[in-house]
Amino acid sequence: MELNPAELTPVINRLKRAQGQLAAVTRMLEEGRDCKDVVTQLAAVSKALDRAGFAIIATGLEQCIVQKDETMDRKDLEKLFLSLA
């Protein structure tokens, strides 16, 4: 299953923001920032990555349904979905 990059522009943007957030977490740790602030920022990164993953899977599921992708069966799709759980 190949995903159309044009359809995933919002996901790519979300991942770029998450990359910036993760860099901020690293900086915060290096600067000795408060644990609560670090964990809050890390939780935001985690949530952004989860949402990006779910959006990728949703796009893939839609593509499989619409285009009848024979390379992915239900078990493969379920495995992908559960990998984010």
Side-chain angles (χ1 to χ4, degrees):
M1 168 176 50
E2 291 186 29
L3 300 172
N4 180 350
E7 293 178 9
L8 295 174
T9 299
V11 175
I12 293 167
N13 291 338
R14 178 172 285 157
L15 289 171
K16 287 179 181 180
R17 278 193 307 276
Q19 188 175 25
Q21 289 174 311
L22 186 56
V25 169
T26 303
R27 264 192 322 277
M28 292 169 77
L29 289 170
E30 291 171 345
E31 295 169 357
R33 297 274 302 270
D34 182 64
C35 179
K36 182 180 175 185
D37 294 338
V38 173
V39 171
T40 299
Q41 188 67 25
L42 192 57
V45 173
S46 179
K47 188 171 186 175
L49 292 175
D50 286 345
R51 286 183 177 211
F54 288 131
I56 291 168
I57 289 175
T59 301
L61 287 172
E62 181 180 46
Q63 182 178 326
C64 287
I65 292 168
V66 171
Q67 298 178 1
K68 304 288 186 205
D69 187 342
E70 301 297 326
T71 64
M72 298 286 288
D73 63 12
R74 182 184 177 128
K75 186 176 179 180
D76 292 330
L77 293 170
E78 186 176 316
K79 186 175 178 180
L80 276 176
F81 185 77
L82 290 174
S83 71
L84 293 174

